[in-house]
Amino acid sequence: MKRNVIIATWFYYDQPGFLDFLYRIKSISHEYDVTLILRDVTFEKEFEGIPARVVVLPQPGQGKKPLFKFIWQLATLVKNIRPELLILLGSQLALANILLPKTPKVLYWNEHPTHFFAGHIKRPLRQAIGNVLVWMSFFAARRANVVMPIGEAHRDDLLAHGVPARKIKMHYMGVSDRFATLGEARSPVAEPHRLSMVYTGTVQKDRGRDVMLEGVALARNRGIPCHLTIVGAMGA
């Protein structure tokens, strides 16, 4: 009999993609009896075909208020179901750790809390509240059984904010083998063995900017022809 696991998510309506979440949820659902928690029925189509029960806790809209309501509803549901494990698939949900002290929890740390809790520099009160919420997010991360950062910058930041090293499990994201032969099918242009890469997303350190640029520099210094195109907004 498979162990009962709840996977909680918090997606944005303007989110550019779901594939990385889909891969994780799909792999977990093959090994565990999964209940997938969503905030809106419109996200269900992104996970069709996954062997998991879907529960929608409706919280439309953006901002902190819907997020806090969702976390409260999630905590209530988890207390009723009593799963063997709760996976919080997003650092936005870190505060749920405080409400569920007895539930085994894994926290996927994919964004810095300043991205969604930052205050407004021209409004001191909002800025102060944002700073408190950021502090609470790291405090809540320390209450998880396992924290899985998306990259080394996040790992180092979690350590700097007091999350015990024994709780941090760093898993590097790999590339599927099925992508290995894609380059072989391309017709040669100016350089037949040239590696062309495209990065899309926010351009900042905690998104891997420096690692990406250093990797290209190392490749070119070793005589490997490569070209990197960056498409994205600058980080705040």
Side-chain angles (χ1 to χ4, degrees):
M1 187 174 180
K2 293 183 178 180
R3 296 174 62 189
N4 180 21
V5 172
I6 288 180
I7 301 178
T9 65
W10 179 263
F11 298 127
Y12 298 103
Y13 293 106
D14 57 353
Q15 191 151 322
F18 297 86
L19 277 181
D20 55 341
F21 295 99
L22 175 64
Y23 294 151
R24 287 165 174 78
I25 295 170
K26 188 174 182 179
S27 63
I28 295 171
S29 65
H30 286 308
E31 301 295 331
Y32 299 92
D33 181 18
V34 170
T35 299
L36 176 62
I37 312 298
L38 302 173
R39 62 175 293 209
D40 197 299
V41 294
T42 59
F43 296 122
E44 286 192 65
K45 63 180 183 294
E46 304 292 344
F47 304 99
E48 290 178 353
I50 291 181
R53 291 179 299 278
V54 176
V55 175
V56 177
L57 302 177
Q59 282 301 333
Q62 304 286 22
K64 301 180 182 65
K65 189 175 180 179
L67 174 60
F68 294 155
K69 287 184 176 180
F70 180 84
I71 290 174
W72 184 265
Q73 289 179 310
L74 172 64
T76 302
L77 180 69
V78 170
K79 289 176 182 177
N80 290 333
I81 295 179
R82 296 183 181 180
E84 295 183 65
L85 179 66
L86 169 63
I87 299 175
L88 300 167
L89 205 61
S91 46
Q92 301 93 337
L93 302 174
L95 297 179
N97 288 297
I98 299 174
L99 302 176
L100 297 163
K102 297 181 180 179
T103 303
K105 300 168 293 292
V106 173
L107 173 61
Y108 178 55
W109 193 266
N110 61 330
E111 283 196 65
H112 197 278
T114 52
H115 292 175
F116 40 88
F117 285 149
H120 198 289
I121 194 167
K122 294 182 179 179
R123 298 185 179 181
L125 180 59
R126 289 183 63 179
Q127 186 177 20
I129 293 173
N131 291 340
V132 170
L133 290 171
V134 169
W135 180 88
M136 288 181 65
S137 295
F138 284 106
F139 174 83
R142 297 196 292 270
R143 297 298 181 270
N145 298 81
V146 174
V147 184
M148 298 176 63
I150 198 172
E152 293 179 353
H154 282 303
R155 177 200 62 194
D156 296 344
D157 191 48
L158 286 164
L159 289 169
H161 283 86
V163 178
R166 60 182 172 79
K167 289 189 174 186
I168 298 176
K169 304 296 180 184
M170 179 74 209
H171 293 278
Y172 292 93
M173 292 188 289
V175 178
S176 173
D177 292 339
R178 67 190 181 90
F179 291 105
T181 58
L182 291 181
E184 299 173 3
R186 295 183 302 182
S187 60
V189 191
E191 298 174 273
H193 302 295
R194 183 185 189 188
L195 175 63
S196 296
M197 299 168 286
V198 177
Y199 169 85
T200 61
T202 307
V203 184
Q204 57 190 48
K205 182 178 180 180
D206 59 6
R207 290 288 186 176
R209 176 201 61 203
D210 295 353
V211 175
M212 176 172 57
L213 295 176
E214 288 170 8
V216 172
L218 285 171
R220 294 183 69 88
N221 288 338
R222 294 177 183 178
I224 302 173
C226 57
H227 181 269
L228 171 65
T229 300
I230 299 176
V231 182
M234 297 299 293

